[in-house]
Amino acid sequence: MRFPLLPAVLACALLAGCQRSEPAAPVSAPAPAPAADSVPAAPDKHVFEAAISAEDFRADITTLASDEFGGRAPGTQGETLTVEYLRDRFAAMGLQPGNGDRWFQTVPMVETTATPVAAAVKIRDKSVEWTFGSQWVAGTRTGEASVQVTDSPMVFVGYGTVAPEENWNDYAGLDLKGKTVVMLVNDPGFHVDDPALFGGKRMTYYGRWTYKFEEAARQGATAALIIHDTAGAGYGWSVVENSWSGAQYDLPAGEDPEPRLPLQGWITGEAAQDLFAQSGLSLEALRLAANKPGFKAVPLPASLTVTLQSAVKTSESRNVLALLPGSERPEEAVVYMAHWDHLGTHVAADGSVQIFNGAIDNASGVAGILEIAEAFARSGQAPKRSVLFAAVTLEESGLLGSKHYVAHPTFPMRNIAGVINIDAMSIIGRTRDIVVTGYGASELEDLLRPIAERQGRVLHGEGSVEKGFYFRSDHFNFAKAGVPALYASSGLDHVEKGEEYGLSIAQEYGANRYHKPGDVVDPGWDLSGVVQDLEALYAVGRELADGAAWPNWYPGNPFRAVRDADRAKAEN
């Protein structure tokens, strides 16, 4: 769910980890029972070539992002059309089902749709209401139909971070039973540009909003609210509003070892300014204080009251798994992945129907792995290691499909040589550069670099390191399990028109199309860069699948210890 085209100003939606974005109830009917997945439908009328081609890519993305597919929301008819299309495409290539004898892996999900409700905030002796959507958003991960928070004292906890290795604990000495924590987005060090604190401008995992809610739950809070600011979050309030309205999806609580908050959400910067001002405090002064070691939480003379009513139902979604068995070491695997889900079909406030087609995010990534799969399957030479193609669900809801796969893998994590993730492709044409998100992470970059050089391109990291892009797409679940993961795509330096051209297209996409109905297929796209990117990523996977190397994380990477331990087990 990455904001494509512009790694330097990438504004991934809230959820990459983000919550799923639905401003209103889906129009699509619930999906029927899954069809038998062993009998593929008739081949598509388009004749697909063995080589990676712009025409084949365009055919797949046009189908996946069509109005007929309704925005590919999990649990809708759009899901059924999507997963069956992918199954049929993989089967037509001659690939095998990737989950035993099945193409699909069932992902249990809890769908919670909260009724928008105002929050009642009492500040000293004054009562204030925050309007849902325009001033605050919230939801619950408990699966309960009714959650009540009554006169919950509010406490400002800085960045809401507990990091022993940094000697940092924003919760020191607090008893949060029955209380609501209010916190800043991003990491200590970000808002004051202090490179000595955490990652400075580079977001660490402590800066992710998902971590903040998890930590608040571990600390025993009843509710948690993050103060939005565009610089710290990396996206505007409209993304937050869209992402937290309508149906939200989660794995069942029983599949999550972490505690969950009864209520979690966001408030606008303006609402926060008013809250602190009426409390006789300065938000700006407290933001500065929160960036200093030894910060102590500040109780606010305010309390929160809200009753959140939600429609809750349990259902299922599906990952699509296709396998090309290895000829010599089939128990080892290389994984290509992309998320197929997007935001569905909604009814706007004025009653109009809006389809969030998600052409770039992420029909493009799915079309990309289909092209790579076709190239592998029809190359005439079976890879020595198996190659698994995983089109996963529920990325827009917090990377849930990939999280479920990692918990229930078809290959042990220690047997996966590497993961290549495609989440939104560049459609600006050929560029002189490739952006590796999380650059400097793993030895997979050593495979990509000479391939890029042969294409006349250079590798570099993303520009906006403060936005934590590496934590916002499905490869991150594999990374936490120790598997090196490559997340790369074209940069902005167009071979003929330069960086300003690439930047202008990316900014237009971010302003008008990202997580909006405008993310549709454009016949004028220049797909020559897409082909070049896919050829490079195919070459990386081919080298990895035909070799015997086990790439690792670079020294100092926090995931290296897990990889080392897993490989030691595999070799003993």
Side-chain angles (χ1 to χ4, degrees):
M1 138 198 120
R2 223 185 96 190
F3 181 124
L5 309 177
L6 184 53
V9 293
L10 205 58
C12 172
L14 275 181
L15 306 181
C18 303
Q19 285 283 24
R20 182 166 172 270
S21 169
E22 278 199 41
V27 169
S28 304
D37 62 6
S38 58
V39 182
D44 190 274
K45 294 180 181 178
H46 179 86
V47 178
F48 289 93
E49 302 175 12
I52 292 170
S53 76
E55 292 75 19
D56 289 356
F57 177 88
R58 190 184 299 277
D60 279 323
I61 193 175
T62 299
T63 298
L64 292 164
S66 65
D67 286 354
E68 180 186 2
F69 280 53
R72 305 186 309 281
T76 69
Q77 180 65 20
E79 164 166 350
T80 300
L81 292 172
T82 300
V83 299
E84 291 184 354
Y85 177 82
L86 296 177
R87 176 200 62 193
D88 297 347
R89 283 280 288 117
F90 285 130
M93 298 173 196
L95 298 184
Q96 297 180 11
N99 185 24
D101 61 354
R102 298 186 64 82
W103 294 97
F104 302 146
Q105 180 185 51
T106 300
V107 180
M109 65 180 184
V110 178
E111 179 181 329
T112 305
T113 306
T115 301
V117 62
V121 182
K122 187 175 182 180
I123 311 171
R124 299 187 189 275
D125 295 325
K126 182 177 180 180
S127 295
V128 175
E129 277 199 348
W130 291 336
T131 302
F132 194 96
S134 61
Q135 293 179 294
W136 93 302
V137 291
T140 182
R141 296 186 62 215
T142 63
E144 297 177 2
S146 181
V147 172
Q148 189 168 11
V149 176
T150 305
D151 294 327
S152 174
M154 304 176 81
V155 183
F156 176 66
V157 294
Y159 288 90
T161 297
V162 178
E165 70 277 12
E166 299 281 350
N167 194 28
W168 198 280
N169 187 352
D170 286 329
Y171 290 99
L174 292 181
D175 178 2
L176 293 175
K177 184 178 181 180
K179 296 180 181 179
T180 296
V181 296
V182 181
M183 65 191 96
L184 302 168
V185 72
N186 218 300
D187 291 298
F190 171 78
H191 289 100
V192 294
D193 196 13
D194 184 349
L197 286 180
F198 290 74
K201 281 293 186 182
R202 178 182 289 276
M203 182 186 284
T204 73
Y205 187 51
Y206 296 116
R208 288 291 294 130
W209 62 268
T210 50
Y211 162 80
K212 293 175 185 291
F213 290 141
E214 290 166 0
E215 188 60 48
R218 284 190 287 269
Q219 296 293 329
T222 292
L225 299 173
I226 296 176
I227 299 169
H228 174 266
D229 72 82
T230 299
Y235 35 77
W237 178 256
S238 64
V239 174
V240 181
E241 182 179 357
N242 285 349
S243 298
W244 285 71
S245 300
Q248 309 289 306
Y249 298 109
D250 214 330
L251 297 180
E255 288 211 357
D256 192 347
E258 298 290 344
R260 297 185 177 189
L261 287 165
L263 186 77
Q264 61 186 45
W266 296 67
I267 58 175
T268 64
E270 293 77 12
Q273 289 279 4
D274 181 68
L275 168 64
F276 281 78
Q278 293 198 47
S279 297
L281 300 167
S282 165
L283 175 57
E284 185 56 35
L286 286 175
R287 182 181 283 118
L288 293 174
N291 281 273
K292 296 178 180 178
F295 167 78
K296 300 296 183 184
V298 178
L300 304 178
S303 63
L304 175 70
T305 297
V306 62
T307 298
L308 189 70
Q309 302 288 353
S310 302
V312 181
K313 67 177 182 179
T314 301
S315 56
E316 298 174 343
S317 187
R318 284 162 285 177
N319 292 333
V320 185
L321 304 177
L323 182 67
L324 181 61
S327 61
E328 295 184 9
R329 298 184 302 281
E331 73 284 359
E332 300 174 4
V334 176
V335 177
Y336 283 92
M337 66 185 308
H339 75 91
W340 61 254
D341 63 302
H342 198 55
L343 308 181
T345 300
H346 313 148
V347 178
D350 62 2
S352 62
V353 175
Q354 296 179 320
I355 300 176
F356 288 68
N357 300 83
I360 289 177
D361 184 15
N362 184 37
S364 69
V366 177
I369 66 168
L370 287 173
E371 278 298 283
I372 291 173
E374 192 98 47
F376 265 102
R378 299 174 65 183
S379 68
Q381 180 181 357
K384 295 177 181 179
R385 284 171 164 153
S386 296
V387 183
L388 178 71
F389 299 92
V392 297
T393 184
L394 293 164
E395 190 269 0
E396 302 287 3
S397 306
L399 317 182
L400 302 183
S402 57
K403 183 177 183 180
H404 181 80
Y405 178 86
V406 169
H408 306 278
T410 56
F411 288 89
M413 292 295 111
R414 63 179 176 269
N415 284 4
I416 298 177
V419 171
I420 299 171
N421 181 32
I422 306 178
D423 191 351
M425 299 203 69
S426 171
I427 47 75
I428 68 172
R430 291 176 178 262
T431 65
R432 296 185 178 90
D433 55 343
I434 296 178
V435 171
V436 178
T437 302
Y439 184 69
S442 85
E443 294 167 355
L444 292 177
E445 296 167 23
D446 299 334
L447 298 182
L448 177 61
R449 185 173 292 104
I451 294 167
E453 289 173 352
R454 289 195 291 271
Q455 292 182 333
R457 299 203 283 176
V458 297
L459 305 186
H460 59 79
E462 72 272 30
S464 298
V465 295
E466 70 276 9
K467 295 180 176 66
F469 303 134
Y470 196 78
F471 314 120
R472 298 186 178 192
S473 193
D474 287 299
H475 63 275
F476 184 54
N477 284 315
F478 286 83
K480 288 191 291 184
V483 182
L486 181 65
Y487 185 27
S489 66
S490 287
L492 299 175
D493 190 6
H494 192 274
V495 293
E496 297 173 353
K497 302 177 183 179
E499 289 187 13
E500 288 189 8
Y501 171 75
L503 182 62
S504 67
I505 293 180
Q507 288 176 331
E508 190 278 335
Y509 177 85
N512 302 319
R513 306 183 193 282
Y514 175 61
H515 274 211
K516 296 181 175 68
D519 187 3
V520 296
V521 173
D522 184 341
W525 283 344
D526 181 351
L527 300 180
S528 59
V530 166
V531 172
Q532 195 172 37
D533 285 351
L534 294 177
E535 289 173 343
L537 296 177
Y538 169 79
V540 171
R542 188 86 220 191
E543 184 172 344
L544 194 56
D546 286 340
W550 291 98
N552 204 339
W553 302 94
Y554 290 137
N557 189 285
F559 308 126
R560 186 179 176 105
V562 180
R563 181 65 161 183
D564 288 344
D566 264 2
R567 289 304 309 150
K569 291 177 184 177
E571 293 168 3
N572 290 334

